[in-house]
Amino acid sequence: MKLYHCRDARSLRALWALEELGVDYELVNMAFPPRSTYPGYLTINPLGTVPTLTDGATTLTESTGICHYLAETHGPTPLRVDPSEADYGAYINWLFRSDATLTFPQTIVLRYSRLEPRERRLPQAVEDYSVWYLSRLRSVEAALEDGRSYLCADRFTMADIAVHYALYLGRSLELDARYKPNCLRYLDALTERPAFQRAMARQAEPI
């Protein structure tokens, strides 16, 4: 397997998942945006986005899809919730919610607060989409009530990797000052996992 990755991008979900699984893989660290900084990347992934995971003849480009794929194909692993388990529906819902509901508004915040030239930045859009994202975190805050450490199935799963990344990205956007206590506790606790720390070390390797 080969993972194409940019530091702290959504590909971090896949990198962390690979480290949790302990499978063999090759990491290609790239500068952002890879479509213009990594020669030939558009041939590998015509969208020009990250991540890209290749596994034999299979190519995937969606970060939560990669987490789901890895759990299904490189187990058995407790990171996967089986359809026979009571929390299977919650597990799938969290995987989809992590990107479609949580990470999406952050991309607007990131673009119009940092990536665009100063004359094109939109402070009102940044604030509006920040509030949108933070309001969606109510579901995470509620899921972690009563001291719960994980989102579903009473254990750490791919759903936690997927959702935690949104919280991690929010911290890089300085939105964590408005996080509620459960989200802050969850964010800090999972960053201490050895596999997360290994992923941090791998993405710090020279490009």
Side-chain angles (χ1 to χ4, degrees), residues 130-152:
S130 295
V131 170
W132 180 357
Y133 161 68
L134 292 162
S135 70
R136 270 46 174 192
L137 280 187
R138 288 179 295 190
S139 61
V140 181
E141 188 72 15
L144 298 171
E145 283 292 348
D146 301 320
R148 288 191 291 269
S149 298
Y150 308 117
L151 295 172
C152 59

Side-chain angles (χ1 to χ4, degrees), residues 17-87:
L18 287 164
E19 287 295 331
E20 290 281 355
L21 287 166
V23 297
D24 292 331
Y25 69 96
E26 178 184 350
L27 180 66
V28 180
N29 279 318
M30 305 177 294
F32 185 85
R35 61 184 174 272
S36 59
T37 61
Y38 190 84
Y41 189 65
L42 288 175
T43 301
I44 300 164
N45 176 359
L47 294 173
T49 57
V50 283
T52 299
L53 179 81
T54 59
D55 185 14
T58 300
T59 300
L60 297 97
T61 60
E62 297 296 327
S63 60
T64 53
I66 290 170
C67 289
H68 184 63
Y69 170 83
L70 290 172
E72 294 293 317
T73 60
H74 290 78
T77 172
L79 297 170
R80 173 184 181 269
V81 177
D82 190 81
S84 64
E85 295 182 69
D87 271 2

